[in-house]
């Protein structure tokens, strides 16, 4: 790499464990997407960018227009420095220097001659190549392919379920997008399902491209309006009060989680069942309004385009949940992105700040609204804890996977040392 280019591309290495985990995920994926690997083509056909020291994305070595565009459009919520680095990578690849500057594809056994990608091209009736983002470990990690034509135009994005959990999530996303397509959404736009099928045990969902690289971070007022629109898109029960006791639904969900083999996880699940029982007996929990939520709305899977919020990653969407879950989740996930923040402080802040976070969600007046907001946050944290346990996030190494270390203490505090709605427990 030239000195000038090296100065423009910051080569700060990831922590060794993180980098190795991303590459291991790719090695596990390679036999599916590139059977036969480099031996099938005899050349380095895929490139790890910006390199093995800091693996972020796997791109085709050629055509250069496609590899450069894949890097430029990878990810969102970038800082000014990251955008500058991305631009430098773009021009390095666009110039055709990629095979000389970026290494690793041959070592990982990947080839551009992928039967899987060719089959996707046949479905779309286009010649396509694919890039794949390399992500940190988590239980629900799955391949997301960015399909581009040879001129670098984005054709589609493809979710691929490769095990029972991720296959179920891909099917859920397809169902959620079908529901949203029928809703009269005005401030939210969602991807269109172009194709969905199970290929030999692999769940495939092909989606129309959402041009996230053209948008910007949503304005708070537009974001909140979009969240409330999604909440109201769930059917005739939206806004009904009293609603089904969501805490009891969570208790039932906890009963349906298979007993973990690890003693620590067994204890965690038992405590979550106990907390669900206690929350279900709180009067305020029995009168919360319900609606639909996206299920994983974050600052990195939405963008404002004009007056509309483009929103993707619908695999966790559900209905019949207390209104306001998306607002709580968005705020908490931003804090989870700060690796220096203590997890238990993040959970406590979710509870403490709930009345402010949900101030415009029509939960009532005065103390009633405050109690409803706090209970909504408590149920949200319980729902997330059960999700993490069901997905076995602790064993997968996902951040926050050990919910017994942060969510359970925060919930115990709200129940043991405080009152919700004026009734102690």
């Amino acid at each position: 790499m030239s000195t000038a280019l090296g100065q423009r591309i910051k080569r700060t290495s990831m922590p060794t464990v993180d980098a190795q985990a991303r590459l291991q995920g790719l090695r596990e994926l390679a036999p599916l997407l590139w059977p036969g690997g480099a031996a099938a083509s005899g050349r380095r056909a895929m490139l790890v960018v910006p390199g093995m020291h800091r693996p972020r994305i796997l791109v085709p070595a050629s055509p250069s227009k496609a590899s450069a565009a894949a890097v430029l459009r990878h990810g969102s919520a970038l800082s000014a420095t990251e955008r500058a680095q991305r631009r430098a990578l773009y021009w390095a690849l666009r110039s055709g220097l990629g095979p000389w500057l970026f290494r690793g594809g041959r070592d990982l056994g990947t080839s551009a001659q992928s039967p899987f990608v060719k089959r996707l091209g046949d479905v779309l009736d286009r010649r396509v190549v694919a890039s794949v983002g390399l992500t940190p470990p988590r239980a629900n990690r799955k391949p997301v392919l960015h399909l581009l034509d040879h001129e670098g135009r984005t054709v589609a994005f493809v979710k691929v379920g490769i095990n029972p959990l991720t296959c179920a999530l891909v099917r859920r996303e397809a169902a959620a997008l079908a529901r949203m397509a029928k809703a009269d959404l005005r401030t939210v736009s969602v991807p269109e399902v172009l194709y969905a099928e199970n290929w030999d045990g692999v769940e495939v969902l092909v989606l129309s491209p959402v041009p996230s690289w053209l948008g910007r971070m949503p304005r708070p007022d537009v974001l909140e309006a979009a969240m409330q629109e999604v909440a109201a898109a769930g059917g005739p029960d939206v806004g009904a009060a009293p609603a089904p006791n969501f805490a009891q639904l969570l208790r039932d969900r906890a009963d349906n989680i298979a007993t973990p083999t690890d003693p620590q996880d067994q204890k965690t699940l038992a405590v979550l069942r106990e907390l669900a029982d206690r929350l279900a007996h709180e009067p305020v929990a029995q009168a919360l309004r319900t609606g639909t939520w996206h299920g994983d709305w974050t600052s990195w899977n939405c963008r404002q385009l004009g007056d509309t919020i483009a929103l993707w990653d619908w695999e966790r969407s559900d209905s019949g949940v207390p209104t306001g879950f998306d607002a709580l989740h968005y705020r908490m996930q931003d804090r989870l992105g700060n690796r220096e923040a203590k997890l238990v402080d993040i959970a406590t802040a979710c509870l403490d700040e709930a009345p402010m976070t949900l101030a415009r969600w029509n939960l009532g007046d005065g103390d009633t609204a405050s109690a409803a907001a706090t209970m909504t946050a408590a149920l949200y944290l319980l729902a997330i804890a059960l999700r993490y346990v069901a997905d076995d996030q602790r064993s997968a190494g996902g951040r926050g996977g050990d919910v017994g270390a942060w969510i359970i203490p925060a919930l115990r505090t709200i129940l043991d040392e405080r009152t919700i709605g004026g009734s102690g427990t």
Side-chain angles (χ1 to χ4, degrees):
M1 182 177 294
S2 70
T3 303
L5 184 59
Q7 291 174 345
R8 295 184 64 191
I9 303 175
K10 185 179 180 182
R11 298 181 60 89
T12 302
S13 295
M14 291 178 176
T16 302
V17 172
D18 189 9
Q20 290 178 348
R22 290 173 188 251
L23 291 173
Q24 181 57 35
L26 176 56
R27 291 186 179 97
E28 294 169 359
L29 171 64
L32 168 67
L33 300 186
W34 296 277
S41 63
R43 61 188 174 88
R44 180 180 297 109
M46 302 295 293
L47 308 173
V48 176
V49 178
M52 300 292 281
H53 66 290
R54 195 168 178 247
R56 288 289 188 184
I57 182 173
L58 188 75
V59 303
S62 65
S64 60
K65 289 180 180 179
S67 59
V71 165
L72 193 62
R73 298 171 193 162
H74 172 63
S76 56
L78 302 177
S79 67
T81 299
E82 289 170 326
R83 286 194 295 271
Q85 294 168 6
R86 193 68 58 86
R87 268 288 177 192
L89 291 170
Y90 170 84
W91 285 114
L93 289 162
R94 186 69 176 80
S95 67
L97 297 176
W100 289 269
L101 294 177
F102 306 108
R103 308 286 179 177
R106 178 176 294 165
D107 299 331
L108 292 163
T110 58
S111 164
Q113 308 303 315
S114 166
F116 188 83
V117 175
K118 182 180 184 303
R119 189 170 180 179
L120 290 169
D122 291 342
V123 165
L124 295 167
D125 195 24
R126 303 278 292 276
R127 290 182 63 203
V128 297
V129 293
S131 71
V132 186
L134 307 179
T135 59
R138 60 189 188 280
N140 55 312
R141 179 166 63 176
K142 60 186 174 300
V144 179
L145 278 63
H146 178 185
L147 300 185
L148 306 102
D149 67 16
H150 285 220
E151 293 299 313
R153 292 181 290 258
T154 296
V155 175
F157 287 93
V158 184
K159 302 286 187 76
V160 185
I162 57 176
N163 56 38
L165 172 60
T166 55
C167 281
L169 291 173
V170 170
R171 289 192 297 270
R172 285 191 55 152
E173 179 157 14
L177 290 172
R179 291 194 304 271
M180 290 299 110
K182 297 176 182 177
D184 185 24
L185 300 177
R186 299 178 182 276
T187 61
V188 179
S189 65
V190 302
E192 176 188 355
V193 176
L194 301 178
Y195 183 82
E197 190 178 17
N198 187 287
W199 291 352
D200 302 324
V202 176
E203 206 72 35
V204 178
L205 179 63
V206 183
L207 303 173
S208 65
V210 176
S212 59
W213 52 91
L214 298 179
R216 57 188 174 90
M217 290 290 288
R219 291 201 324 261
D221 59 324
V222 177
L223 179 66
E224 189 162 59
M227 289 180 174
Q228 293 188 4
E229 182 177 64
V230 169
D237 65 328
V238 174
N245 190 332
F246 187 72
Q248 185 57 52
L249 294 178
L250 290 178
R251 180 64 173 84
D252 296 341
R253 187 177 301 174
D255 284 340
N256 290 327
I257 295 175
T259 301
T261 57
D262 186 276
Q264 180 178 340
D265 294 334
Q266 292 174 10
K267 180 180 179 181
T268 295
L269 182 57
V271 173
L272 291 174
R273 287 169 175 162
E274 172 202 343
L275 291 171
D277 279 335
R278 295 176 67 182
L279 288 170
H281 286 88
E282 289 281 349
V284 67
Q286 302 168 20
L288 293 175
R289 294 183 295 177
T290 62
T292 296
W293 77 313
H294 171 274
D296 194 21
W297 201 325
T298 66
S299 61
W300 52 88
N301 62 16
C302 71
R303 275 294 173 271
Q304 183 171 340
L305 302 169
D307 293 327
T308 302
I309 299 291
L311 177 61
W312 56 100
D313 293 343
W314 286 80
E315 62 197 35
R316 299 288 190 173
S317 183
D318 203 359
S319 59
V321 305
T323 57
F325 268 27
D326 275 327
L328 295 164
H329 187 80
Y330 188 95
R331 191 177 184 90
M332 193 173 83
Q333 289 301 309
D334 267 357
R335 285 181 165 158
L336 284 172
N338 178 6
R339 295 282 173 168
E340 297 181 0
K342 293 182 179 179
L343 290 171
V344 70
D345 291 343
I346 293 173
T348 300
C350 178
L351 292 163
D352 290 344
E353 297 174 6
M356 178 188 68
T357 304
L358 303 180
R360 289 180 291 277
W361 280 78
N362 299 320
L363 300 183
D365 298 317
D367 292 341
T368 299
S370 179
T374 303
M375 176 56 71
T376 299
L379 293 173
Y380 160 73
L381 288 174
L382 180 59
I384 291 297
L386 289 172
R387 177 190 294 182
Y388 283 11
V389 171
D391 292 353
D392 199 17
Q393 288 283 12
R394 188 178 72 85
S395 296
R399 176 159 164 77
D402 182 8
V403 299
W406 64 295
I407 291 182
I408 285 177
L411 290 175
R412 276 181 163 161
T413 297
I414 202 75
L415 286 167
D416 293 345
E417 299 179 9
R418 311 179 192 181
T419 59
I420 302 177
S423 60
T425 57

